[in-house]
Amino acid sequence: MAKTLILVRHGKAQKPQLGLADADRALVPGAAEALAATYRTAFALLRGMESAELWVSPALRARQTAAQVSRALVGNGVKIGANRELPCLLEQNADTFHKLIEQSAEDTCIVAVGHIPFMEDELVDLTGVDLSFAPGSAAALRLEGAPGRAASGAELLWFVRGPRIE
C-alpha cells in the first residue's frame, strides 16, 4: 500500500518587520482569496479520496494557508481526519517529519503545509525532482514504503504552482 504526501508552501506572506516575530507574519492582503481559487481546482485532483490528515507549521502564514487547503479539501468531498500543528515543519526537521510519516497509517493522505527550502528539499530528497515552490505551490507524491533521504522511490503525481500576488 502507498501513502500520498502533498507538500504545500504557505501563501505569500508579509515581509519581515522589526518587532514582528517570523512565526507571526501573516499572508498579504488578497493571498487567502487567491489560494482559495487555486486550491479549489488543485485539490479537485483528490476527489474520491475518503480523508486526509492536515499537518501544519505553527507559523501564522502556514495556518492561514492550511485554512484554505482545508476548505478546498472539504469542498471536494475529502474529510479532514486529523489536523495537527507540527513544530518540525517550522523547524524544517526532516528526521522528525519522516518518522511521523512512517508512523502514519498505510494508504493515507497527508497534506503538509510548511516553508521553503524544506518543501523543495523534501521533493528533491523523496523523488529526485527539483522544482521551485513559489508561495502557495503544492506537489503531490506517492510514497511506497518508508520515506528515506535520497532515492526513496517516491513518485511525483502532480505539481501546481501557487497564485501570483502583486
Side-chain angles (χ1 to χ4, degrees):
M1 300 222 115
K3 295 178 186 180
T4 302
L5 173 63
I6 302 172
L7 302 171
V8 179
R9 178 184 177 192
H10 64 76
K12 186 169 182 172
Q14 297 172 320
K15 293 188 185 302
Q17 299 173 16
L18 189 61
L20 181 66
D22 181 63
D24 294 333
R25 291 191 298 130
L27 295 177
V28 298
E33 295 79 9
L35 291 170
T38 298
Y39 294 162
R40 197 171 19 257
T41 304
F43 288 99
L45 296 167
L46 298 179
R47 273 198 192 122
M49 188 166 286
E50 192 171 309
S51 68
E53 294 184 17
L54 189 54
W55 295 3
V56 185
S57 159
L60 176 59
R61 59 197 178 275
R63 289 184 284 121
Q64 291 173 319
T65 300
Q68 299 308 319
V69 169
S70 179
R71 285 186 189 98
L73 289 169
V74 171
N76 281 295
V78 180
K79 294 178 187 170
I80 307 298
N83 190 337
R84 301 171 64 186
E85 196 170 285
L86 299 176
C88 68
L89 289 169
L90 180 59
E91 297 160 358
Q92 304 197 24
N93 184 324
D95 292 335
T96 300
F97 184 63
H98 291 174
K99 285 178 188 168
L100 291 169
I101 292 170
E102 289 172 24
Q103 293 168 359
S104 66
E106 287 298 321
D107 203 29
T108 192
C109 177
I110 299 163
V111 182
V113 182
H115 311 269
I116 60 167
F118 189 70
M119 294 295 141
E120 293 171 338
D121 292 346
E122 283 299 298
L123 182 64
V124 170
D125 288 345
L126 295 171
T127 67
V129 176
D130 188 5
L131 294 171
S132 177
F133 274 66
S137 294
L141 318 174
R142 179 182 173 87
L143 299 174
E144 296 284 349
R149 305 297 286 187
S152 76
E155 173 189 6
L156 176 64
L157 300 174
W158 50 263
F159 178 79
V160 175
R161 185 169 169 80
R164 289 187 55 89
I165 308 284
E166 298 304 322

